[in-house]
């Protein structure tokens, strides 16, 4: 069985300040982990993924995430927020034998001017 | 290369009707998965098709069904619609050349279904 917990349903930051979106996972097997972003009325876009290579993963638009097995975490960060980052972010886990992707409930990122 | 396309983008149906949604994967992708997104339940896996065969199915009633054609295009059908079926239905495709768990799934824009 696998599950994902996104620790914050909403995060609000000022433009130009760092972003931290927190994600904890549970999986019976070595998982692959993903972060997707969804802008209003759009589909999901892949930001980055971890597949047991380097634990620090760099993605698009300046985002990165660090896989910490001991903490079962995969937090998403960005050094400086832009207004265009305002969106819904989903942490996703995939493991061998699982039925499809398992999504977290999502974190709504708000960027204050 | 064109992305995943879904048609129609919006649909309004009434209770008891049935609906068919269509998904065209990225060229060369052989796996198509379907997800339901609602405010209450979030994103939930419906089913996955690979080479015209349903490989996995999520925890949804039998009213939800799908199929995949030889060109990898997929359709999903919902019969006897209920108010609770109102949702954004997302289709995703992947190559399926390596370990399945590691494959990136590429999502379409979704079909928004409203059941009245």
């Amino acid at each position: 069985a696998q599950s994902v917990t996104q620790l914050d349903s909403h995060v609000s930051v000022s433009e130009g300040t760092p972003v931290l979106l927190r994600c904890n996972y549970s999986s019976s097997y070595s998982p692959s982990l993903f972060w997707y972003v969804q802008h209003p009325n759009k589909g999901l876009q892949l930001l980055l993924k971890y597949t047991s290579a380097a634990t620090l993963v760099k993605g698009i638009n300046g985002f990165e995430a660090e896989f910490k097995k001991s903490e079962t975490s995969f937090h998403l960060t960005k050094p400086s927020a832009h207004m265009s980052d305002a969106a819904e972010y989903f942490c996703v886990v995939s493991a061998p034998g699982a039925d499809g992707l398992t999504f977290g409930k999502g974190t709504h990122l708000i960027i204050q001017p | 290369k064109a992305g995943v396309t879904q048609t129609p983008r919006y649909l309004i149906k009434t209770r008891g009707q049935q609906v068919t949604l269509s998904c065209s994967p990225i060229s060369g992708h052989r796996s198509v998965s379907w997800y339901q997104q609602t405010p209450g339940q979030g994103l939930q896996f419906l089913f996955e098709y690979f080479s015209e065969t349903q490989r996995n199915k999520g925890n949804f009633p039998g009213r939800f069904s799908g199929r995949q054609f030889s060109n990898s295009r997929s359709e999903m059908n919902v019969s006897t619609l209920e108010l609770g079926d109102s949702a954004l239905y997302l289709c995703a495709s992947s190559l399926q050349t390596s370990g399945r768990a590691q494959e990136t799934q590429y999502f379409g824009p979704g079909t928004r279904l409203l059941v009245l």
Side-chain angles (χ1 to χ4, degrees), chain B residues 49-67:
Chain B
Y49 285 87
F50 178 77
S51 291
E52 301 178 65
T53 301
Q54 186 180 89
R55 191 154 62 175
N56 284 306
K57 190 176 194 313
N59 188 25
F60 279 81
R63 300 185 296 106
F64 291 81
S65 63
R67 58 178 176 169

Side-chain angles (χ1 to χ4, degrees), chain A residues 14-30:
Chain A
S14 297
E15 191 176 18
T17 64
V19 174
L20 170 64
L21 305 184
R22 299 182 294 165
C23 171
N24 286 353
Y25 71 92
S26 172
S27 176
S28 303
Y29 302 95
S30 295

Side-chain angles (χ1 to χ4, degrees), chain B residues 56-93:
Chain B
N56 284 306
K57 190 176 194 313
N59 188 25
F60 279 81
R63 300 185 296 106
F64 291 81
S65 63
R67 58 178 176 169
Q68 186 180 34
F69 302 95
S70 58
N71 62 358
S72 294
R73 190 176 71 84
S74 176
E75 289 180 347
M76 67 163 281
N77 184 275
V78 188
S79 63
T80 319
L81 283 166
E82 300 176 359
L83 296 179
D85 297 333
S86 295
L88 180 66
Y89 291 88
L90 291 163
C91 164
S93 74

Side-chain angles (χ1 to χ4, degrees), chain B:
Chain B
K1 191 182 269 193
V4 177
T5 58
Q6 294 186 244
T7 56
R9 293 292 311 279
Y10 303 93
L11 265 180
I12 299 175
K13 293 286 187 179
T14 56
R15 278 185 302 172
Q17 287 187 310
Q18 74 165 17
V19 67
T20 299
L21 312 181
S22 180
C23 171
S24 292
I26 292 171
S27 177
H29 285 195
R30 300 170 65 191
S31 170
V32 173
S33 298
W34 288 88
Y35 296 85
Q36 182 196 63
Q37 185 176 23
T38 60
Q41 299 298 317
L43 276 147
Q44 294 182 286
F45 171 72
L46 279 158
F47 27 65
E48 178 200 4
Y49 285 87
F50 178 77
S51 291
E52 301 178 65
T53 301
Q54 186 180 89
R55 191 154 62 175
N56 284 306
K57 190 176 194 313
N59 188 25
F60 279 81
R63 300 185 296 106
F64 291 81
S65 63
R67 58 178 176 169
Q68 186 180 34
F69 302 95
S70 58
N71 62 358
S72 294
R73 190 176 71 84
S74 176
E75 289 180 347
M76 67 163 281
N77 184 275
V78 188
S79 63
T80 319
L81 283 166
E82 300 176 359
L83 296 179
D85 297 333
S86 295
L88 180 66
Y89 291 88
L90 291 163
C91 164
S93 74
S94 62
L95 269 172
Q96 293 290 295
T97 57
S98 63
R100 287 168 59 199
Q102 298 182 353
E103 285 277 344
T104 296
Q105 294 195 21
Y106 296 88
F107 285 81
T111 294
R112 188 166 296 280
L113 172 65
L114 176 61
V115 182
L116 302 176

Side-chain angles (χ1 to χ4, degrees), chain A residues 6 21 33-39 43-49 60 74 76 87-94 101-103 106-107, chain B residues 35 43 92-94 102-107:
Chain A
Q6 291 185 242
L21 305 184
L33 294 160
F34 307 79
W35 276 98
Y36 282 86
V37 61
Q38 186 177 34
H39 291 276
L44 295 162
Q45 180 185 19
L46 178 71
L47 282 176
L48 49 80
K49 74 175 183 180
I60 62 171
F74 189 57
L76 181 71
E88 192 82 13
Y89 291 79
F90 294 94
C91 182
V92 182
V93 63
S94 176
L101 301 177
T102 299
F103 286 80
T107 297
Chain B
Y35 296 85
L43 276 147
S93 74
S94 62
Q102 298 182 353
E103 285 277 344
T104 296
Q105 294 195 21
Y106 296 88
F107 285 81

